[in-house]
Amino acid sequence: MLERSAAVARRPWYRAHAAGIVSLAVGFAALIVGYWLQFHDRHEITELPDLRVMLPLFAVAAAAGITALVRREPRPVLPILGIGLATAAIVLGWFLLVLAVAAATSVILLLVLKLN
């Protein structure tokens, strides 16, 4: 049976996924900030959050995500999720509306399928 050589040390998980973790953390922070900017002053749901705050957060998440993908980190889902969260944060109101319509459509579809 093959065993790992004592001279070859594995990198810790957080070092192997450093840029992906940063991208995910910034994307999650962008989602929280976007929610706060969208709903704390009772803006319309279709109104965009303040882009002076959201675009730099998106740029940092995208830069970290692209860095993770270029470095070929083992789990590409982390940077992709980070970029996706930061993108959804920019258009949070529209994203929530589409999500609500999709959920309602799914419930209606399930009811129709169960009744047939």
Side-chain angles (χ1 to χ4, degrees):
M1 175 172 265
L2 295 176
E3 293 183 20
R4 188 173 293 277
S5 172
V8 177
R10 294 183 69 186
R11 290 189 301 179
W13 186 86
Y14 59 87
R15 279 196 184 167
H17 299 84
I21 292 170
V22 169
S23 176
L24 185 63
V26 172
F28 187 69
L31 194 63
I32 292 172
V33 169
Y35 180 82
W36 177 260
L37 290 175
Q38 181 74 32
F39 296 114
H40 86 283
D41 280 340
R42 301 196 185 269
H43 292 283
E44 300 242 350
I45 196 164
T46 56
E47 189 176 323
L48 293 178
D50 189 5
L51 293 179
R52 294 172 295 176
V53 176
M54 298 310 299
L55 289 180
L57 286 171
F58 171 75
V60 171
I66 291 169
T67 301
L69 294 173
V70 168
R71 284 181 56 196
R72 294 182 189 259
E73 291 184 355
R75 303 275 188 247
V77 71
L78 295 175
I80 292 170
L81 267 175
I83 295 170
L85 287 174
T87 304
I90 293 174
V91 290
L92 184 63
W94 290 103
F95 181 75
L96 291 176
L97 285 175
V98 169
L99 190 65
V101 169
T105 303
S106 299
V107 168
I108 292 170
L109 182 63
L110 283 173
L111 287 174
V112 167
L113 289 175
K114 290 291 181 179
L115 292 176
N116 282 337

